Amino acid sequence: MTIDGALSLTVAQGPEPMLSYVVEQLDTVTLSAASPIDGMDLMSPFVWKEGALYRVMIRGVPHPLGPHDPTGIIAGGASTDGLHFRMDAGLAVVPGPGPADLGGCEDPTVLVTDHEYLVYYTGVDAARAQGSMILAAGRELSALVKQDLVLKAPPGEGNIKEATLAQTAAGDWRLFYEYAAHEASRIGMARGPTAKGPWTVTPDPFGIREGSWDNWHLSTGPIIRIAGQDPVMFYNGATHDARWRIGWISFDADFTRVTGRGIEPMLVPPPAVSREATDIAFAASTVIEGDRIALYYSLEDRMLRRALIGVYSR
């Protein structure tokens, strides 16, 4: 075990070499004080690189959350080192005016195409009763236009949130998402011909494991591809009492089957300073940092961190 409860894991992946994902460094992510989400709880740090610049979109939540406050607003910013972000003066995504997200905007996921930015996020309705997947797009991050309500839960299921996008070896796309059913969170998957869909829901890509750290709740995390290796998702799992940890799972190139899965969580939150704090570490995004993976995540639904992960085969 390394500092702050980070683990080094090794697991067999069929005929492929055994892989180890080793957390080698942990860092705090900070935002400029001029941020419109300064003083709020911080979640869902989606970081990506454009050239030498790191960009970020982050969900801010008022603390304490009042009865008429939005459950989230989304701010953007940039950094030269991936740790200290200067935030934009305005917000990237705000609630409304449509009814699907009047209650809040949460969990941004960004895809950069040749000609525009695609931002998938969770829209919460005015009653805070349901979250749905919404797509906003634009040539500039400062001029995003809400385009489509992508997925809404059918009767008997709850929120749809936490988008993760991945392209298959064949060139089509998969949209992974969290949904609620039977008092638990699960991971769903949809397929589409383009990164904008249209999306067709398919069977869940994987499920919980009885008697394990991920035996009740599952939520999506970022997917990353390294040349010569299966795509891997750093996913979020929890027990019935919602003690969330971060683990990993790998897939074949077309996301038709699981090829490996860590036995234990790779990131565990350190002991909380306050007894009232939420016991949660929650993965949001990854970038390649030299020969390591930089994993951005949140702690206690209020603090931002980065883990540098080495990948080793034997």
Side-chain angles (χ1 to χ4, degrees):
M1 181 176 289
T2 63
I3 58 173
D4 281 0
L7 302 176
S8 167
L9 298 178
T10 303
V11 68
Q13 296 197 28
E16 300 296 326
M18 296 178 69
L19 293 182
S20 295
Y21 293 91
V22 183
V23 178
E24 299 178 332
Q25 182 175 322
L26 296 170
D27 298 291
T28 297
V29 176
T30 63
L31 311 183
S32 59
S35 166
I37 56 175
D38 184 40
M40 294 187 179
D41 287 342
L42 304 174
M43 308 175 200
S44 306
F46 193 93
V47 178
W48 72 100
K49 291 193 76 172
E50 293 185 21
L53 196 67
Y54 298 81
R55 293 193 180 276
V56 69
M57 281 193 177
I58 302 170
R59 172 190 173 191
V61 183
H63 181 82
L65 183 66
H68 303 295
D69 289 332
T71 62
I73 53 178
I74 298 174
S79 170
T80 57
D81 65 1
L83 290 175
H84 305 94
F85 287 87
R86 180 172 296 278
M87 302 303 289
D88 300 334
L91 290 168
V93 184
V94 296
D101 66 353
L102 273 175
C105 301
E106 306 175 357
D107 317 322
T109 295
V110 183
L111 181 69
V112 184
T113 72
D114 291 338
H115 59 283
E116 65 181 345
Y117 295 94
L118 304 181
V119 181
Y120 282 83
Y121 71 96
T122 307
V124 179
D125 63 17
R128 297 187 186 175
Q130 188 174 46
S132 303
M133 191 70 66
I134 298 176
L135 170 63
R139 295 185 63 85
E140 303 292 337
L141 290 170
S142 59
L144 296 171
V145 177
K146 298 176 184 181
Q147 294 194 345
D148 189 22
L149 195 158
V150 177
L151 286 176
K152 186 174 182 178
E157 295 182 5
N159 300 327
I160 288 184
K161 57 196 302 185
E162 303 282 0
T164 294
L165 289 159
Q167 191 170 26
T168 72
D172 58 339
W173 288 81
R174 298 294 180 268
L175 172 64
F176 296 82
Y177 55 91
E178 175 193 325
Y179 70 93
H182 309 296
E183 300 182 354
S185 298
R186 294 289 187 267
I187 292 176
M189 185 176 71
R191 57 181 172 82
T194 74
K196 287 186 174 183
W199 300 104
T200 301
V201 173
T202 65
D204 291 358
F206 63 97
I208 60 171
R209 295 181 291 189
E210 296 293 337
S212 185
W213 61 275
D214 51 3
N215 66 4
W216 194 263
H217 297 291
L218 296 172
S219 183
T220 46
I223 290 175
I224 193 161
R225 293 176 181 269
I226 297 175
Q229 298 177 4
D230 290 339
V232 61
M233 174 190 284
F234 296 109
Y235 73 98
N236 303 292
T239 49
H240 187 272
D241 55 354
R243 297 179 184 272
W244 287 90
R245 281 82 175 101
I246 300 170
W248 68 268
I249 190 166
S250 60
F251 303 91
D252 70 312
D254 288 317
F255 299 95
T256 62
R257 61 184 177 87
V258 171
T259 59
R261 189 172 182 177
I263 298 170
E264 297 289 342
M266 58 182 295
L267 271 171
V268 176
V273 175
S274 169
R275 290 181 180 271
E276 291 76 31
T278 305
D279 185 6
I280 179 173
F282 211 85
S285 59
T286 53
V287 298
I288 296 296
E289 197 67 63
D291 59 354
R292 295 186 290 187
I293 300 170
L295 172 65
Y296 289 85
Y297 63 102
S298 61
L299 284 177
E300 300 178 15
D301 280 342
R302 65 186 184 89
M303 301 177 290
L304 307 181
R305 297 290 187 267
R306 183 190 72 176
L308 293 182
I309 300 168
V311 183
Y312 302 95
S313 62
R314 62 178 184 175

